[in-house]
Amino acid sequence: VQLQASGGGLVQAGGSLRLSCVASGRTFSRNTMAWFRQAPGKEREFVATISWSGGNINYADSVEGRFTISRDNAKNTVYLQMNSLKPEDTALYYCAARSTAFTGPSTTANEYGYWGQGTEVTVSS
């Protein structure tokens, strides 16, 4: 089972990036998915989460209104559209999946059993 995150890069403040996370080895169409991030010297923090159906979505206050999480269950993929990026968004972004199907969204990292390797986002001022 593997979660492969991609789409990170270097962007100027105010710019946009779209992260993708593709699952392989099993389907996650019935599992809540999420994005977390970890900046250098800081703890991993919650960014956004989406339920298996896409009907229940939560965002961290710091990204609300700028980031959009979505999913395509047919492609076993979750996305994070990031607009109006700020230097403080610079971090390694991880996608994650809850281990048990049909469990609801969570902002707590230890409730996610599957993790991708991370994709780096750098926002210059």
Side-chain angles (χ1 to χ4, degrees):
V1 177
Q2 187 175 17
L3 298 177
Q4 183 72 40
S6 62
L10 173 64
V11 63
Q12 288 188 332
S16 298
L17 284 173
R18 188 193 195 203
L19 306 184
S20 298
C21 175
V22 181
S24 61
R26 57 159 284 182
T27 180
F28 286 99
S29 62
R30 296 182 292 251
N31 297 71
T32 286
M33 304 287 291
W35 289 95
F36 288 79
R37 67 186 181 186
Q38 187 167 16
K42 295 187 177 181
E43 294 186 353
R44 189 172 299 189
E45 65 173 1
F46 165 75
V47 176
T49 181
I50 184 169
S51 63
W52 68 275
S53 66
N56 192 347
I57 291 174
N58 292 309
Y59 296 100
D61 290 344
S62 59
V63 307
E64 180 84 51
R66 300 187 297 121
F67 290 11
T68 302
I69 189 171
S70 61
R71 65 190 298 161
D72 185 336
N73 286 338
K75 296 182 178 179
N76 227 14
T77 301
V78 64
Y79 304 97
L80 186 68
Q81 178 66 43
M82 305 186 296
N83 298 329
S84 303
L85 282 161
K86 305 175 181 179
E88 50 264 44
D89 294 318
T90 294
L92 192 59
Y93 283 71
Y94 298 90
C95 60
R98 295 202 70 176
S99 302
T100 303
F102 304 122
T103 49
S106 171
T107 62
T108 305
N110 62 14
E111 294 189 352
Y112 290 82
Y114 296 98
W115 291 83
Q117 86 291 354
T119 184
E120 190 166 3
V121 172
T122 303
V123 184
S124 63
S125 56

